[in-house]
Amino acid sequence: MFRKALISAALPALLAIGCSTETPPPGEATAEEPAGSAAAPADADAVLAEVVAAMGAEDLDSITYSGTAWRIRNSFMQTPSASPPWPSRDEITNYRRTIDLTQPASLATGDTFAQNIFLDPPVAGTHVQHVPADETAWAQQLEIWLTPWGFLEGAEDNGVEMSTETLDGTQYTVLTWMSPETQTSPSGLQYTVNGYVGEDNLIDRVETWVEHPFMGDFHVVQVYDDYRDFGGLMVPTAIEQQRGGGGIFGVSVTDASANPQNLTALLTPPETSGGGFPGGGGPAPDDIVEQLDDNVYLITGGYVA
């Protein structure tokens, strides 16, 4: 999916008064350019091409990765305190996520043992986060664009600009792209996506904003660390998503592969997912519905309503 960028640089000969006009042999230093020096990339597209190459993503159409994960208990805005950090977490085992960049679409699944907001005993369950190909809402789509590979795909498809920024004492090259004109916020503005690139040309951080009924223009960040080479593809083995200034979800990656052959199967959600996001929203099963009176029902399971 990623296109290999061809970068060519023309270095004109610089002539000094009184010096010979003979062209120096290849590799020989000149007064203007020491041996071994390289011209800085001229524009954002050149930097993007370098990042794609460093990430090993030139021919990437899809990716699957697995490991263990965690999520804050009871989700964002239902924690015991309003301010992070939120230490109460539910662990997710057998975690696996697959992303198809060509659609785009994504599916993550895992096994969880979770406790609800009413502190009932923890129960076993299934974690599902499904972004189908026909899902156009930015609140769900950003789960793809926040990944390093989704960010690069979005940058190539939508055009990219470049700036620099110092964050926590580290200077980054920041690549920025905007969502398509067909995908805008309720205000009519396009969404902004920033990717922070370190000295190694790997993506350390991706951020965007999304409308939120309580928080307004809501900042969503995904941070990456401890990159490893999986068959030529660079994959961060530590992933954390932050909302409201604190971590709400994280993954420890132990395995990954590019362009899996069984992509269709990997993107098929389990029957228990209900088709919602992230994994609910189906009709209530009959065994949790109790009729109390005419047109009055008690719905147990999850919230009691």
Side-chain angles (χ1 to χ4, degrees):
M1 192 65 181
F2 293 105
R3 300 175 295 279
K4 296 183 178 179
L6 301 179
I7 305 173
S8 61
L11 300 178
L14 301 178
L15 305 181
I17 297 176
C19 296
S20 170
T21 59
E22 181 180 353
T23 303
E28 181 177 314
T30 67
E32 292 79 11
E33 183 179 0
S37 68
D43 55 29
D45 289 331
V47 173
L48 176 60
E50 289 188 353
V51 175
V52 170
M55 295 283 295
E58 297 97 327
D59 301 311
L60 187 68
D61 290 331
S62 58
I63 179 175
T64 186
Y65 59 90
S66 57
T68 59
W70 59 267
R71 63 186 178 191
I72 58 169
R73 185 158 296 162
N74 304 319
S75 75
F76 178 69
M77 294 189 67
Q78 295 186 3
T79 54
S81 65
S83 300
W86 301 294
S88 298
R89 298 176 175 180
D90 294 323
E91 301 299 320
I92 302 172
T93 58
N94 300 319
Y95 179 84
R96 183 184 66 200
R97 185 180 185 189
T98 303
I99 304 171
D100 183 353
L101 298 167
T102 65
Q103 297 194 59
S106 171
L107 176 67
T109 60
D111 300 320
T112 184
F113 198 66
Q115 185 181 62
N116 66 23
I117 194 172
F118 304 107
L119 303 181
D120 291 336
V123 296
T126 301
H127 169 81
V128 179
Q129 186 192 62
H130 186 207
V131 186
D134 59 356
E135 176 59 76
T136 60
W138 186 254
Q140 283 73 52
Q141 283 263 314
L142 65 80
E143 299 291 347
I144 297 174
W145 305 123
L146 285 175
T147 69
W149 317 282
F151 173 80
L152 293 175
E153 180 68 23
E156 289 202 332
D157 290 346
N158 299 295
V160 65
E161 296 181 356
M162 181 176 63
S163 61
T164 59
E165 184 172 337
T166 299
L167 187 64
D168 296 330
T170 301
Q171 183 170 339
Y172 290 98
T173 298
V174 181
L175 299 177
T176 301
W177 54 270
M178 309 295 289
S179 66
E181 295 181 356
T182 56
Q183 190 171 40
T184 61
S185 68
S187 67
L189 298 177
Q190 295 165 260
Y191 296 99
T192 301
V193 189
N194 296 326
Y196 291 70
V197 180
E199 292 182 350
D200 52 7
N201 279 333
L202 302 179
I203 298 175
D204 289 355
R205 171 188 178 102
V206 182
E207 65 182 2
T208 189
W209 288 260
V210 66
E211 62 275 1
H212 190 278
F214 183 80
M215 304 293 288
D217 196 18
F218 193 35
H219 191 206
V220 184
V221 183
Q222 205 141 283
V223 294
Y224 303 100
D225 202 358
D226 297 332
Y227 273 86
R228 283 181 50 195
D229 186 327
F230 290 91
L233 180 68
M234 297 300 294
V235 177
T237 58
I239 302 172
E240 181 176 293
Q241 185 173 129
Q242 300 173 353
R243 300 189 180 210
I248 67 162
F249 184 82
V251 183
S252 295
V253 178
T254 57
D255 194 20
S257 60
N259 303 325
Q261 295 184 351
N262 58 334
L263 183 61
T264 300
L266 291 172
L267 288 173
T268 302
E271 294 181 359
T272 57
S273 71
F277 184 89
D286 292 338
D287 58 358
I288 67 170
V289 179
E290 178 185 352
Q291 184 170 359
L292 303 180
D293 205 338
D294 291 340
N295 299 317
V296 180
Y297 299 85
L298 174 68
I299 311 298
T300 62
Y303 295 107
V304 178

